[in-house]
Amino acid sequence: MADNFNFELVSPERLLLSEMVTEVVIPAADGEMTVMANHAPTMTTIKPGIVSVRSANGSKQDYVVFGGFADILPTGCTLLAESAVIIQDLSKDELTLRIEAAQREIADTVHHEHKSRLEHYVMELTHLRGVIDQD
């Protein structure tokens, strides 16, 4: 049986989750990452995607995050999200609105590096919309 550790998912709006879990799968910038108890200390940026949380009681809950970073220690993990919501509370229309807002910002941006980051963000949101549509 897996050891438990403390996981917190925090957005600027609220604390979404703070509980003992057995594992968390996070959308790290370099790819999906499974965090379990006694994980090596790590800090990573988070891209838009799904955070899957397996509670100590065995239940599973998914959240959608829109960027941020995670601080991982052997005893716990804190994910500070730019924005986050329980997956059941996210509509395809909200994702479409976020994509359209980013596309408008791309059209108004003259700095190449910023435009490139926004284009990558739109690609990630579009992929996320496709993943959520399949569920």
Side-chain angles (χ1 to χ4, degrees):
M1 186 158 125
D3 290 338
N4 298 330
F5 66 99
N6 188 55
F7 174 69
E8 290 189 339
L9 176 56
V10 183
S11 75
E13 299 86 29
R14 64 187 171 132
L15 172 67
L16 280 96
L17 182 68
S18 179
E19 68 179 56
M20 297 302 285
V21 301
T22 57
E23 73 177 43
V24 177
V25 179
I26 60 175
D30 292 330
E32 270 193 358
M33 180 178 190
T34 300
V35 179
M36 299 179 81
N38 303 310
H39 195 287
T42 306
M43 277 195 111
T44 185
T45 54
I46 302 297
K47 65 182 181 180
I50 298 172
V51 175
S52 295
V53 180
R54 176 78 59 192
S55 296
N57 67 14
S59 65
K60 182 177 175 275
Q61 178 64 59
D62 291 337
Y63 298 83
V64 176
V65 295
F66 297 96
F69 70 93
D71 183 19
I72 304 164
L73 298 169
T75 57
C77 175
T78 301
L79 194 156
L80 301 171
E82 291 174 15
S83 179
V85 63
I86 297 171
I87 197 166
Q88 293 91 333
D89 294 345
L90 181 68
S91 70
K92 186 171 81 169
D93 291 340
E94 182 180 340
L95 273 175
T96 300
L97 290 173
R98 285 179 183 260
I99 291 167
E100 290 170 353
Q103 289 171 330
R104 283 191 301 275
E105 192 174 344
I106 288 169
D108 295 337
T109 300
V110 292
H111 193 269
H112 177 71
E113 187 176 316
H114 184 61
K115 186 176 276 197
S116 179
R117 280 192 304 251
L118 285 169
E119 288 169 345
H120 189 74
Y121 183 70
V122 167
M123 179 190 69
E124 290 169 338
L125 289 180
T126 303
H127 174 76
L128 180 60
R129 184 174 56 186
V131 169
I132 290 172
D133 283 346
Q134 292 175 2
D135 291 343

